[in-house]
Amino acid sequence: MREDSDFPEDIDFELDRLIKRVAWTAEIKLALAKRPEQRRVRSTVAGCLGFGHGKEDSLGAVLLVLDELVANAYRYTTTPGELRITRQIRGVLIEVTDDDPDLESLKTRSGSGSVHGYHGLLLVTHLSLEWGARPEGNGKVVWALVPARRHDER
């Protein structure tokens, strides 16, 4: 049996710190095949990412990039696959899978910032540390790494 001296003086503070660290490493996965409303996707993600964060932590850039990547999957593919969000040291990694293996049309759209309807990828470019696309299975993954502060970087 342990004596009280084996525990930190402020166990509640230590537990809170550990819970926040666990929350920061969480991964969120949402199925997009049935095309859930974007506001529901955004609300779910905001609720999950907000866990362990203070009110002063802004998720605005993350949610804007998320909206754009999900909207593009809905607009330009027949079957969106999955939304995956992973917290990383440099920020929040947003990945959207779909059934379309065509990476060339994505490059064309991203290079055409002046063409009507393609301003969203320009927004992704400006709000992300980096972004891109890669093949996965029979389709592709479009991803963006968006900067976000962790709770211990305040």
Side-chain angles (χ1 to χ4, degrees):
M1 182 170 191
R2 292 184 173 180
E3 294 183 18
D4 288 341
S5 62
D6 290 340
F7 290 102
E9 286 183 333
D10 189 355
I11 192 80
D12 290 336
F13 174 80
E14 188 64 17
L15 284 173
D16 184 56
R17 186 184 70 75
L18 291 172
I19 288 169
K20 287 178 180 177
R21 293 200 66 193
V22 168
W24 184 252
T25 61
E27 181 178 69
I28 302 165
K29 291 184 178 185
L30 296 173
L32 299 176
K34 293 184 179 179
R35 297 177 183 259
E37 291 182 18
Q38 281 191 256
R39 65 183 175 88
R40 293 191 92 165
V41 171
R42 186 175 44 249
S43 173
T44 300
V45 170
C48 291
L49 288 177
F51 177 75
H53 286 259
K55 292 181 181 179
E56 69 277 5
D57 291 335
S58 174
L59 298 174
V62 170
L63 296 177
L64 281 172
V65 171
L66 169 120
D67 270 350
E68 183 57 32
L69 296 185
V70 171
N72 283 349
Y74 286 2
R75 187 176 303 125
Y76 298 111
T77 68
T78 52
T79 308
E82 183 177 56
L83 168 67
R84 299 185 298 237
I85 298 183
T86 310
R87 299 175 199 209
Q88 299 186 344
I89 290 174
R90 293 179 49 210
V92 176
L93 178 64
I94 302 167
E95 298 176 298
V96 176
T97 68
D98 63 54
D99 67 347
D100 183 2
D102 182 16
L103 296 173
E104 285 305 311
S105 65
L106 182 65
K107 291 177 186 176
T108 302
R109 287 197 312 264
S110 66
S112 305
S114 61
V115 177
H116 179 69
Y118 298 135
H119 299 293
L121 290 177
L122 197 57
L123 178 73
V124 170
T125 300
H126 289 295
L127 293 175
S128 302
L129 295 170
E130 52 189 314
W131 76 275
R134 67 179 185 276
E136 183 175 281
N138 293 328
K140 69 180 173 299
V141 175
V142 180
W143 60 270
L145 181 61
V146 182
R149 293 184 313 162
R150 296 187 332 200
H151 75 280
D152 57 354
E153 295 178 329
R154 294 181 191 158

